[in-house]
Amino acid sequence: MSDPRPGAVLRGAVDLSALRSRAAAPASPTGHAPASGSPSLVFDVTDATFGQVLELSRTVPVVVDLWAEWCGPCKQLSPVLEKVVTELDGRLVLAKVDVDANPQLAQGFRAQSIPMVVALVAGQPVPLFTGAVPEEQVREVFGQLLQLAAQQGVTGVVPRGEGGEGGEAYASASEPDEPALPPLHQEAFDAIEAGDYARAVTAYEAALAENPRDDQARAGLGQVRLLDRVQHLDLQEARAAAAAAPRDVDAQFAVADLDLAGGHVDDAFERLLDLFAELPADERAPVRERLLELFGLVGDADARVIRARGRLASLLF
């Protein structure tokens, strides 16, 4: 039986399970001194110290920058990441991974090309982007990441500039002095924690009825709708049904939802795009709507979404 957890929706092609056992007694990471002068917010991490980073991500979102000394685009992107993280005043931290020196982390993140930037929220990986992207796009993606983290209760702050080495960031994360979540957001969060996704959907819908511009509620609604749809599905049964009826929209939706919830983002998109291409024009609208919903879950800046949008546009015109 599928059992996706909050945060699993955006896990993508990242598998860190083999590295979780390293959480026991890790050594302190080497300090990384950014130009900003806030070493507690930016630090190096190694295969041996990754367990600490996973634990830290339960308090504050951790952005992971996978880079190498020989990589020119990495040298362009890293200062941008450090600048934006520093300006966010400890709401995010940046962990830097030299893929040449840390092959197990490179393999765990499936870093086929670098620079590659992912995040960790409550111990769960969240793919962000690959390549040297503009500062404006970095800010947009980090804003979406903070929204996702808030929905999961990961709202800690690392005090700016504390400590002289990156390792001290692990001890300096604290809960921020921020106002409580709005009542409907809190109700949704409590429902998610309890696994009651239907109740969370109702709460987020009510929040959007009060404020249609509530982007945080809109993002949360999309995630919990997906989780609600897949929580009682059996993957093998769903795949068998989809294979037996390749033009059955509901059957294909079920497998696409399960694929996305399990991190197989490209598979989910390709399934629905193939279905869209096969259906008559007057039957395509629900498939397009589901695709747009799933695009919103992964994020418009994600390369997989950009590719899928391109194919969808080619099928429309």
Side-chain angles (χ1 to χ4, degrees), residues 252-278:
Q252 303 306 320
F253 279 179
V255 178
D257 282 346
L258 285 165
D259 278 343
L260 197 81
H264 304 289
V265 176
D266 283 326
D267 290 343
F269 290 166
E270 287 302 312
R271 178 177 293 275
L272 295 187
L273 287 166
D274 288 346
L275 176 63
F276 186 90
E278 289 291 325

Side-chain angles (χ1 to χ4, degrees), residues 72-303:
C74 299
K75 295 178 180 179
Q76 297 174 14
L77 179 64
S78 288
V80 174
L81 298 177
E82 294 177 11
K83 176 184 177 183
V84 177
V85 165
T86 300
E87 290 176 357
L88 288 170
D89 289 328
R91 297 169 65 198
L92 298 172
V93 296
L94 179 63
K96 301 183 68 65
V97 176
D98 182 340
V99 296
D100 289 339
N102 301 282
Q104 290 182 330
L105 277 174
Q107 182 179 5
F109 281 107
R110 300 182 185 176
Q112 296 181 353
S113 64
I114 56 173
M116 174 180 176
V117 180
V118 302
L120 297 168
V121 178
Q124 296 295 322
V126 181
L128 299 182
F129 51 82
T130 57
V133 304
E135 182 175 326
E136 181 180 355
Q137 184 175 337
V138 172
R139 293 183 186 280
E140 179 183 353
V141 172
F142 284 8
Q144 294 172 354
L145 174 62
L146 287 169
Q147 291 182 1
L148 172 66
Q151 290 158 18
Q152 297 181 45
V154 180
T155 56
V157 172
V158 173
R160 180 171 176 157
E162 286 198 1
E165 296 292 332
E168 295 188 24
Y170 299 121
S172 58
S174 62
E175 290 302 314
D177 294 327
E178 295 181 354
L181 288 173
L184 288 170
H185 286 243
Q186 185 63 56
E187 181 179 343
F189 176 73
D190 291 343
I192 293 169
E193 287 289 285
D196 188 349
Y197 302 128
R199 181 161 65 93
V201 166
T202 299
Y204 278 133
E205 287 177 339
L208 281 170
E210 288 185 358
N211 178 14
R213 296 185 178 181
D214 188 339
D215 292 336
Q216 198 170 42
R218 190 176 306 281
L221 177 60
Q223 291 168 20
V224 294
R225 276 178 172 167
L226 175 67
L227 295 170
D228 186 40
R229 290 197 300 264
V230 303
Q231 65 177 329
H232 299 305
L233 293 177
D234 180 277
L235 181 58
Q236 291 184 343
E237 292 179 0
R239 289 197 182 282
R247 295 181 67 171
D248 184 314
V249 172
D250 290 337
Q252 303 306 320
F253 279 179
V255 178
D257 282 346
L258 285 165
D259 278 343
L260 197 81
H264 304 289
V265 176
D266 283 326
D267 290 343
F269 290 166
E270 287 302 312
R271 178 177 293 275
L272 295 187
L273 287 166
D274 288 346
L275 176 63
F276 186 90
E278 289 291 325
L279 291 176
D282 60 351
E283 297 179 17
R284 288 177 163 183
V287 182
R288 180 176 179 274
E289 290 173 5
R290 180 59 60 88
L291 275 165
L292 294 178
E293 179 183 340
L294 299 188
F295 291 166
L297 287 175
V298 178
D300 289 337
D302 190 282

